[in-house]
Amino acid sequence: MALPASFLDELRARTPMAGLVGRRVRLARSGKQWKGCCPFHGEKSPSFFVYEDGYHCFGCGAHGDAISFVMQSQGLSFMEAVSQLAAEAGLEVPKPTPEAAEAERRRLDIVGVLQAVQAHYQRRLGLPEGRAARDYLAGRGLTEETIARFGLGWAGERGVLTAEMARQGIGLDQLMEAGLIRRDEETGRTYELFGQRVMFPIRDRRGVIISFGGRILGSGQPKYLNGPDTPVFSKRRNLYGLDLAREGVRAGATLVVVEGYMDVIAAAQALLSGAVAPLGTALTKEQLDELWRVSPCPVLCFDGDAAGAKAASRAMELALPLLTPERTLKFATLPTGEDPDTLVRKGGAAAFQAVLDIARSPVDALYDMLRAEIGDTTPEQRAALWSRLTEASGRIADKSLAWEYREALKERFRASRFRPGQRNNKWDGKRPGAWNQAAVPRAPRAHLHQDGTTAERTRILTAILLRHPFLLNEVFQAYNSLPLDPLLERLRTAMDAWAETAEALDSEGLINHLTKSGLESEVHHVLAEAPMPLPACAALDAMPADATTGWWHIFGFLNVEQLLEEVELARADANRNLTAETERRLRALVEAFSKVRSGEPDGVGLVDA
């Protein structure tokens, strides 16, 4: 039974190779790949490498994709292997229908047509009529070997292709289905899409020709033209040069996204063999997925002008929600007026590699983009910048990574406040969010008086959590960012561990657990009405909303910037998914922040000088 290529591609995409092979082979990281001892022949030194989309043994030569591995390792037939992997991936194997068989036959027919057309274009490039195209390619510095490797050709006068294909038994309908013939809607007449253009075959990740792009010689428009979407080609899903870039990345090259065909080809000729390019559109989610199947950290390379900055900003907007600890990016910016093609021709591979070597991480690129857009010289600009930074980090779906981004952006934001000659914030290295406050320039104040206020506030925050432990999950990151004295630190550690396994977050259950854990005296210290009475929000009978607002109100006097960050995160959550819970959280945080901003007392008797 012939299965649709689209189904098989989706099945491969949903099957992580390292996880699949790791069931039978002990794998270890080796750069961007994994390696282990080959399961198909006895060996003591690992020569079996696993990539994002396949495997290869340099000892016995075994290679293939996920389906091949299941077939070889379990002795299954093709359909048995597909059925097993489909069940694991949550896919349904298409049933053999006449329609499905016809669709697959058409797909194969289109691929065959495109192969014949490429051979035609390559022949035309070598004829006298292709002289102008050969001169153009030579003028761009391409060698005969590079031209042949990328299968470049020439589309001469319109009508020649149709006549040549007719002699090979390929009719207008087939050419139209392959995206090479168009029909004028007004006149009904057909015409060839490409004429008087240098032709660039577009291949899929396996090296199969799926479409063409063409560059006009002369002043016509558009300068570059890509074939339309067809049953085998989608501009949103494919990348120019991906088949050769996969080979380059496996050999150690960096996967780089550049702008156009010639950038890819110039980079490859300079032995920078990991370059790919979108196909006339801005980078898409589907293309990002394809990139991450090849490398966990591709580099997006943009021009150093306003258009390049705009393209980088669009890519950042697209990528942020998709980032994970295993899937990230880097952003490289070219010198103004240069593209990879011109840079390589002027300075060789070293000039382009120098740009890639200083590519920025997403967190640094994000901060720089927003700072350039908003500014940070006035209080209003800084407030707007912080709000945008917080909102942007909140769009990352992976919560742990989002938290790390917020902390890194917070560090950049705080550091930007101090001018040269001033001391800056320092990370104390003890726990996320714990800042060495002594390193922050501040007006002189009574040290003992300050410590007493802070200690009392952290005691009250802990008391609220003892009485209202439903807040533990909600305030976890903020509470864990606070430096505590050893007594409160012991309680915090125990409460964190209890909250992870407790069936119900109730005060009685928490205090019983802490008492049995030998922390009875610590609990008594926190809940004692000395050195001053606890505020009403820490009472056992306080309403949940009052306890929540009270906790954040007190916290705000310890770290108002993080309180503002929590407000923006809650606002973003409510905008994405307005529920009673997200609305309650936002209301409590906004009320607490308003109290802090207005200077309303938080119930602590000691007040900072």
Side-chain angles (χ1 to χ4, degrees):
M1 165 187 171
L3 293 171
S6 58
F7 165 77
L8 294 176
D9 286 343
E10 180 69 14
L11 179 61
R12 295 182 183 104
R14 291 199 190 187
T15 305
M17 282 300 303
L20 177 66
V21 177
R23 300 173 191 173
R24 295 178 174 270
V25 179
R26 178 173 292 181
L27 297 175
R29 270 287 184 185
S30 177
K32 300 174 183 177
Q33 297 87 35
W34 300 81
K35 71 176 180 179
C37 290
C38 180
F40 305 122
H41 80 286
E43 62 176 8
K44 296 182 179 180
S45 299
S47 62
F48 184 81
F49 282 77
V50 179
Y51 309 98
E52 182 77 10
D53 56 355
Y55 62 92
H56 182 83
C57 178
F58 290 91
C60 68
H63 65 279
D65 57 14
I67 301 171
S68 304
F69 183 79
V70 173
M71 292 173 65
Q72 293 183 48
S73 62
Q74 299 182 40
L76 301 181
S77 67
F78 175 80
M79 284 307 301
E80 288 172 335
V82 167
S83 298
Q84 177 179 309
L85 292 174
E88 295 175 359
L91 293 174
E92 184 176 350
V93 179
K95 294 181 172 55
T97 64
E99 293 78 12
E102 175 61 19
E104 181 64 11
R105 184 196 64 76
R106 288 171 54 207
R107 188 191 73 82
L108 294 175
D109 283 350
I110 292 173
V111 169
V113 168
L114 293 171
Q115 290 173 341
V117 170
Q118 186 207 12
H120 166 82
Y121 287 148
Q122 286 183 294
R123 285 195 302 272
R124 310 305 295 189
L125 180 65
L127 296 178
E129 67 176 82
R131 176 64 182 270
R134 296 196 302 274
D135 290 344
Y136 166 78
L137 295 174
R140 298 296 294 264
L142 301 190
T143 65
E144 290 293 332
E145 180 183 359
T146 298
I147 292 171
R149 184 184 183 199
F150 282 87
L152 306 186
W154 169 249
E157 295 291 339
R158 286 186 169 90
V160 175
L161 172 67
T162 304
E164 171 64 23
M165 293 300 102
R167 285 192 288 271
Q168 297 184 36
I170 297 173
L172 284 178
D173 289 344
Q174 291 172 286
L175 293 172
M176 187 174 296
E177 193 165 27
L180 298 163
I181 296 289
R182 281 186 172 173
R183 188 182 301 278
D184 189 304
E185 294 183 0
E186 294 184 1
T187 66
R189 298 179 63 181
T190 60
Y191 62 95
E192 293 176 8
L193 179 62
F194 299 106
Q196 299 297 314
R197 290 180 181 269
V198 178
M199 299 303 296
F200 300 81
I202 300 171
R203 302 183 178 97
D204 65 13
R205 63 201 318 272
R206 296 164 296 179
V208 176
I209 298 175
I210 52 177
S211 189
F212 289 94
R215 188 201 191 281
I216 198 166
L217 295 185
S219 58
Q221 290 295 328
K223 181 187 291 187
Y224 283 95
L225 178 65
N226 291 308
D229 284 3
T230 70
V232 301
F233 174 62
S234 168
K235 290 176 185 161
R236 293 184 58 81
R237 294 181 177 276
N238 292 283
L239 291 153
Y240 181 73
L242 185 60
D243 58 320
L244 299 178
R246 287 173 66 210
E247 298 176 5
V249 171
R250 288 183 178 182
T254 299
L255 183 62
V256 186
V257 181
V258 293
E259 184 177 347
Y261 302 131
M262 290 305 301
D263 296 323
V264 171
I265 297 172
Q269 183 168 281
L271 303 182
L272 297 168
S273 55
V276 299
L279 294 161
T281 64
L283 199 66
T284 67
K285 176 185 179 300
E286 292 83 357
Q287 288 168 339
L288 274 177
D289 288 338
E290 280 294 316
L291 292 169
W292 281 322
R293 291 178 68 184
V294 177
S295 169
C297 186
V299 178
L300 308 186
C301 189
F302 299 96
D303 294 344
D305 55 14
K310 187 175 181 180
S313 181
R314 284 198 305 264
M316 179 67 77
E317 289 285 327
L318 173 70
L320 269 178
L322 309 175
L323 296 178
T324 71
E326 295 78 27
R327 289 185 162 196
T328 187
L329 298 165
K330 285 188 177 182
F331 289 76
T333 303
L334 292 161
T336 302
E338 300 285 3
D339 57 38
D341 179 26
T342 60
L343 193 63
V344 166
R345 280 192 282 161
K346 291 177 182 178
F352 190 32
Q353 187 61 52
V355 171
L356 302 182
D357 289 342
I358 59 172
R360 294 170 296 169
S361 68
V363 70
D364 287 334
L366 174 61
Y367 185 89
D368 293 341
M369 288 175 190
L370 293 179
R371 186 181 184 184
E373 176 187 339
I374 299 169
D376 69 342
T377 57
T378 68
E380 292 80 6
Q381 287 176 335
R382 287 186 62 79
L385 175 59
W386 178 244
S387 178
R388 286 286 299 279
L389 290 170
T390 305
E391 186 275 332
S393 63
R395 292 205 303 274
I396 300 174
D398 186 288
K399 295 303 181 186
S400 63
L401 185 62
W403 187 87
E404 293 293 344
Y405 265 62
R406 287 197 297 274
E407 291 301 308
L409 292 169
K410 184 189 300 180
E411 183 176 357
R412 286 286 305 271
F413 182 77
R414 285 175 168 172
S416 71
R417 172 176 294 158
F418 305 106
R419 301 303 177 216
Q422 289 181 310
R423 288 185 299 163
N424 204 348
N425 290 16
K426 300 295 183 182
W427 182 259
D428 73 358
K430 294 179 181 177
R431 67 168 53 243
W435 292 89
N436 181 356
Q437 297 296 327
V440 181
R442 58 174 74 235
R445 61 179 63 186
H447 181 71
L448 184 60
H449 183 70
Q450 175 192 356
D451 283 351
T453 304
T454 300
E456 186 61 13
R457 282 180 172 140
T458 54
R459 180 181 80 92
I460 294 172
L461 291 178
T462 306
I464 296 173
L465 295 178
L466 288 172
R467 292 278 172 75
H468 302 279
F470 74 88
L471 279 169
L472 281 168
N473 290 334
E474 183 172 327
V475 304
F476 172 80
Q477 291 177 352
Y479 185 50
N480 276 268
S481 74
L482 296 173
L484 302 180
D485 64 39
L487 183 150
L488 296 181
E489 177 63 37
R490 290 194 293 272
L491 281 178
R492 176 167 62 185
T493 301
M495 286 193 294
D496 285 348
W498 173 80
E500 292 181 359
T501 58
E503 294 183 1
L505 299 182
D506 65 291
S507 179
E508 182 180 0
L510 172 58
I511 294 177
N512 286 340
H513 170 77
L514 295 174
T515 299
K516 293 177 182 178
S517 300
L519 298 172
E520 183 176 6
S521 62
E522 285 85 347
V523 172
H524 182 268
H525 167 79
V526 170
L527 298 181
E529 295 292 323
M532 59 177 294
L534 293 170
C537 60
L540 188 59
D541 59 354
M543 296 297 292
D546 294 335
T548 304
T549 301
W551 198 96
W552 286 114
H553 182 196
I554 297 168
F555 177 83
F557 281 99
L558 297 173
N559 191 335
V560 68
E561 287 183 346
Q562 185 156 347
L563 176 59
L564 176 58
E565 176 184 344
E566 295 288 344
V567 171
E568 295 300 330
L569 286 172
R571 182 173 286 117
D573 286 342
N575 288 338
R576 282 194 299 266
N577 182 28
L578 184 59
T579 65
E581 179 61 24
T582 57
E583 184 180 15
R584 177 200 64 77
R585 173 173 165 78
L586 176 60
R587 185 183 297 112
L589 283 161
V590 169
E591 183 179 348
F593 181 70
S594 297
K595 290 181 177 181
V596 173
R597 185 170 55 183
S598 66
E600 181 176 329
D602 61 355
V604 180
L606 299 173
V607 180
D608 282 341

